[in-house]
């Protein structure tokens, strides 16, 4: 690392890893409940586990994004973080709010809105927290050297993500209106501003890992941002088909959401093209593998599997079934989990001074988790298609169908076990890196770490 204060990133990443592990535990609670092994039901019923699983996902991804920003922004602005102590306060308070929220769900204290279950008073604490974060990186960027496009896109993504949190706090009794604004948060996050965050981090990684000129890489970023906004904003309409909003949304949502895969395709093509073009062989191959993997898997999960159910004529049958869960898993994994893991794989050796790139564990972590997640997605696809046919086409009762598809969840659990082994290996590699050290800053350790990032001989 070049700046002492980048160290804070490590702790955000560590927090993210802890929450990811907990998210998986709740995933298994649901997975087993699905095959009739629901012994925890009196304490953790399915709906509680589901809210905890998805909320932990969002919180660990946010921790990952913030950690990435605390690493990238100082580097891109050529100076230390403005208020390192504030970053600490922010991390701890975020975790406290997260733990309280998750605790509340176990006592049925929540708002009954998927993904936005967090009780209202805690929303205000989240807002304060995010303001602290934005101020900190904002001032660092402001006082630094001329801001780079990469840093600006990352900052804009984070800023808009914060602004778009607010519509989720609108108090509304009407179900349709409530749902209408809920999608401003849920959809415009993952299919809008989070894509900017992902694009910014991906750009940073490609600049570092491929050695291709910043100008070339950043030009692509503009195209991707353009495609994202062109399709993603009105693409929100694909959630307005059947919730009581006017009929024109069928057309608007259908057309614009069908364009959304282009942004993800653009990212995949871009990442692959840059890695081919780059002559530089950065020794941290695994970070490049995660970066390229992210670009490809986000296209598969979000672009391809999103497209699979985005047209009204199809969504009419698949809406709210396991087809949605199939897409949700692969999309979140490919786009946002993998970009965070890519950033961690890149930053850890620089933060700790230990070059554990390209170890067997690190490589197995990548392949096992990705094959596992692909198989999980496959199992959910089979379960989902069966559900659609039996429930929506033939008209069988909801619960009868859920019983019919139980078998597919055995396969799902096996795939999830494989996935978990991969994540276990990633966590093991994380742990083996040890804590951030002063040595990572010292010039004598340069050949091992920093030089790989800076020196021409690395080309
Ligand atoms: C990384 C980007 C994406 C992520 C993380 C993501 C994730 C999700 C999640 C979690 C849901 C369920 C939301 C809920 O019911 O509250 C969902 C729904 C949906 N997504 Fe995506 N998605 C992404 C991109 C896309 C794209 C690009 C498309 C279209 C091409 C798409 C099409 C849909 C549709 C149509 C639904 C509604 C499903 C239903 O009616 O039940 N998604 N997505
Ligand atoms: C061992 C790992 C995991 C298991 C066993 C698991 C299991 C589950 C189950 C059973 C559900 C509920 C589906 C339903 O409504 O019936 C669910 C929902 C969900 N999970 Fe996972 N999960 C795992 C890992 C992950 C990961 C790594 C991610 C993201 C990167 C993720 C994202 C989601 C999302 C977004 C939903 C909500 C989907 C929707 O809106 O329909 N899960 N998970
Ligand atoms: Fe959407």
């Amino acid at each position: 690392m070049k700046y002492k204060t980048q160290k804070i990133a490590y702790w955000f990443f560590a927090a993210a890893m802890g929450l990811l592990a907990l998210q998986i535990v709740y995933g298994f609670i649901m997975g087993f409940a699905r095959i009739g092994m629901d012994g925890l039901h009196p304490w953790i019923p399915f709906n509680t586990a589901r809210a905890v699983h998805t909320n932990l996902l969002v919180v660990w991804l946010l921790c990952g994004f913030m950690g990435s920003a605390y690493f990238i922004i100082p580097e891109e602005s050529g100076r230390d973080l403005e208020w390192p102590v504030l970053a600490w306060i922010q991390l701890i308070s975020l975790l406290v709010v997260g733990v309280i929220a998750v605790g509340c769900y176990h006592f049925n204290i929540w708002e009954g809105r998927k993904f936005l279950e967090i009780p209202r008073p805690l929303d205000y604490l989240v807002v304060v927290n995010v303001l602290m974060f934005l101020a900190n990186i904002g001032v660092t960027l402001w006082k630094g050297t001329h801001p780079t496009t990469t840093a600006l896109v990352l900052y804009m993504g984070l800023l808009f993500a914060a602004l778009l949190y607010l519509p989720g706090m609108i108090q509304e009794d009407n179900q349709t209106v409530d749902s209408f604004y809920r999608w401003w948060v849920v959809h415009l996050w993952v299919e809008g501003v989070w894509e900017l965050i992902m694009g910014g981090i991906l750009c940073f990684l490609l600049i570092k890992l491929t050695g291709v000129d910043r100008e070339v890489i950043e030009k692509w970023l503009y195209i991707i941002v353009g495609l994202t906004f062109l399709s993603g904003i009105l693409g929100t309409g694909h959630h307005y088909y059947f919730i009581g909003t006017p009929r024109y949304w069928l057309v608007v949502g259908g057309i614009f959401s069908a364009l959304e895969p282009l942004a993800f395709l653009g990212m995949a093509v871009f990442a692959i093209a840059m890695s081919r073009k780059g002559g530089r062989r950065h020794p941290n191959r695994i970070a490049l593998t995660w970066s390229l993997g992210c670009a490809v898997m986000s296209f598969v999960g979000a672009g391809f599997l999103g497209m699979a159910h985005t047209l009204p004529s199809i969504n009419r049958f698949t809406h709210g079934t396991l087809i949605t869960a199939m897409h949700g898993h692969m999309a979140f994994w490919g786009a946002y989990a993998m970009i965070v893991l890519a950033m961690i794989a890149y930053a850890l050796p620089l933060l700790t001074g230990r070059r554990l790139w390209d170890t067997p564990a690190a490589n197995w972590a990548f392949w096992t988790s990705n094959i596992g997640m692909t198989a999980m997605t496959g199992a959910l696809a089979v379960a989902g298609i069966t559900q659609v046919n039996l429930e929506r086409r033939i008209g069988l009762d909801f619960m009868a169908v859920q019983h019919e598809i139980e078998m597919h969840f055995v396969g799902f659990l096996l795939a999830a076990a494989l996935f978990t082994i991969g994540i276990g290996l990633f966590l093991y590699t994380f742990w083996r890196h040890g804590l951030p050290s002063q040595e990572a800053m010292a010039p004598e350790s340069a050949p091992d770490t920093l030089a790989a990032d800076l020196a021409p001989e690395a080309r």
Side-chain angles (χ1 to χ4, degrees):
M1 75 192 140
K2 290 182 196 148
Y3 302 97
K4 209 168 66 225
T5 47
Q6 281 177 303
K7 197 167 64 181
I8 186 77
Y10 176 90
W11 297 103
F12 276 84
F13 293 149
M17 293 296 93
L19 297 172
L20 163 62
L22 204 57
Q23 185 210 345
I24 291 177
V25 171
Y26 281 82
F28 275 111
I29 294 177
M30 278 189 287
F32 279 109
R34 280 270 188 186
I35 59 168
M37 297 167 74
D38 200 9
L40 286 173
H41 186 91
W43 305 280
I44 311 177
F46 190 88
N47 60 335
T48 298
R50 202 178 200 288
V52 174
H53 182 67
T54 49
N55 280 252
L56 283 174
L57 167 67
V58 174
V59 181
W60 86 255
L61 292 178
L62 288 177
C63 272
F65 293 162
M66 288 174 175
S68 304
Y70 282 132
F71 190 91
I72 294 173
I73 297 290
E75 188 124 346
E76 293 282 297
S77 18
R79 68 192 300 273
D80 263 306
L81 192 67
E82 184 69 16
W83 300 302
V85 178
L86 189 68
W88 272 106
I89 297 174
Q90 194 235 320
L91 172 63
I92 293 164
S93 58
L94 184 67
L95 289 177
V96 170
V97 173
V99 169
I100 295 178
V102 163
C104 284
Y105 302 162
H106 290 81
F107 298 97
N108 277 332
I109 306 171
W110 55 18
E111 313 247 325
R113 309 151 81 214
K114 191 175 165 194
F115 281 103
L116 306 182
E117 288 94 347
I118 184 162
R120 195 53 52 91
L122 293 179
D123 274 327
Y124 294 100
L125 296 177
V126 174
V127 171
V128 174
N129 190 282
V130 173
L131 284 176
M132 289 197 277
F133 166 69
L134 287 172
N136 209 349
I137 56 170
V139 171
T140 308
L141 202 57
W142 180 258
K143 290 195 174 169
T145 49
H146 186 68
T148 61
T149 304
T150 304
L152 277 181
V153 170
L154 178 60
Y155 189 76
M156 285 303 170
L158 292 160
L159 176 69
F160 289 145
L163 289 177
L164 281 170
Y165 188 75
L166 305 177
M169 293 168 65
I170 294 170
Q171 201 81 45
E172 181 53 64
D173 289 335
N174 180 302
Q175 166 90 57
T176 299
V177 179
D178 183 78
S179 217
F180 187 86
Y181 289 116
R182 187 180 79 89
W183 289 113
W184 284 27
V185 192
V186 178
H187 170 98
L188 289 176
W189 265 15
V190 299
E191 290 157 74
V193 296
W194 281 28
E195 280 180 63
L196 304 196
I197 301 173
M198 175 189 166
I201 299 176
L202 190 61
C203 252
F204 175 81
L205 288 169
L206 290 173
I207 290 169
K208 296 289 178 181
L209 296 169
T210 67
V212 175
D213 282 346
R214 177 183 287 275
E215 290 70 31
V216 179
I217 292 189
E218 289 182 341
K219 240 176 238 144
W220 270 88
L221 187 56
Y222 280 118
I223 299 173
I224 286 160
V225 171
L227 281 173
T228 300
F229 282 141
L230 174 80
S231 60
I233 297 176
L234 286 174
T236 317
H238 67 180
H239 302 291
Y240 294 164
Y241 297 155
F242 314 115
I243 65 165
T245 37
R247 278 181 69 84
Y248 54 76
W249 283 113
L250 291 171
V251 181
V252 176
I255 292 174
F256 284 92
S257 69
L259 294 173
E260 284 180 41
L262 287 179
F264 289 97
L265 183 64
M267 262 189 278
V269 173
F270 151 67
I272 293 169
M274 291 308 121
S275 75
R276 292 225 165 146
K277 191 174 157 81
R280 178 195 227 181
R281 288 191 64 79
H282 193 289
N284 194 343
R285 306 303 294 167
I286 193 67
L288 185 62
T289 308
W290 276 107
S291 309
L292 295 181
C294 163
V296 173
M297 293 302 258
S298 66
F299 172 67
V300 177
F304 180 74
L305 295 181
M307 188 65 211
H309 62 157
T310 203
L311 297 177
S313 51
I314 297 173
N315 192 261
R316 192 179 147 209
F317 294 106
T318 59
H319 179 58
T321 62
L322 286 163
I323 295 293
T324 307
M326 160 202 79
H327 154 70
H329 275 89
M330 186 67 111
F332 260 116
W333 168 253
Y336 303 124
M338 285 185 80
I339 198 69
V340 169
L341 299 184
M343 187 64 205
I344 292 177
Y346 170 74
L348 264 193
L350 298 172
L351 289 166
T352 62
R354 300 195 68 190
R355 51 189 301 180
L356 288 175
W357 44 58
D358 264 342
T359 60
N363 280 293
W364 279 101
F366 176 84
W367 290 105
T368 316
S369 59
N370 273 289
I371 295 170
M373 181 50 85
T374 307
M376 283 165 69
T377 307
L380 289 174
V382 178
I385 293 167
T386 313
Q387 180 189 6
V388 169
N389 279 317
L390 296 183
E391 185 192 317
R392 304 276 164 98
R393 290 226 181 222
I394 297 181
L396 292 188
D397 170 66
F398 177 85
M399 282 316 283
V401 174
Q402 297 301 316
H403 189 62
E404 285 297 324
I405 58 180
E406 227 175 75
M407 240 343 258
H408 300 303
F409 278 91
V410 176
F412 175 78
L413 281 170
L414 288 172
L418 189 66
F419 171 80
T420 306
I421 292 173
I423 297 300
L425 289 169
F426 193 95
L427 296 176
Y428 169 72
T429 307
F430 190 104
W431 170 77
R432 274 202 53 209
H433 271 91
L435 297 177
S437 69
Q438 234 32 57
E439 280 159 60
M441 301 276 313
E444 55 271 27
S445 76
D448 276 351
T449 56
L450 267 180
D453 219 44
L454 300 173
E457 61 267 29
R459 281 170 188 271

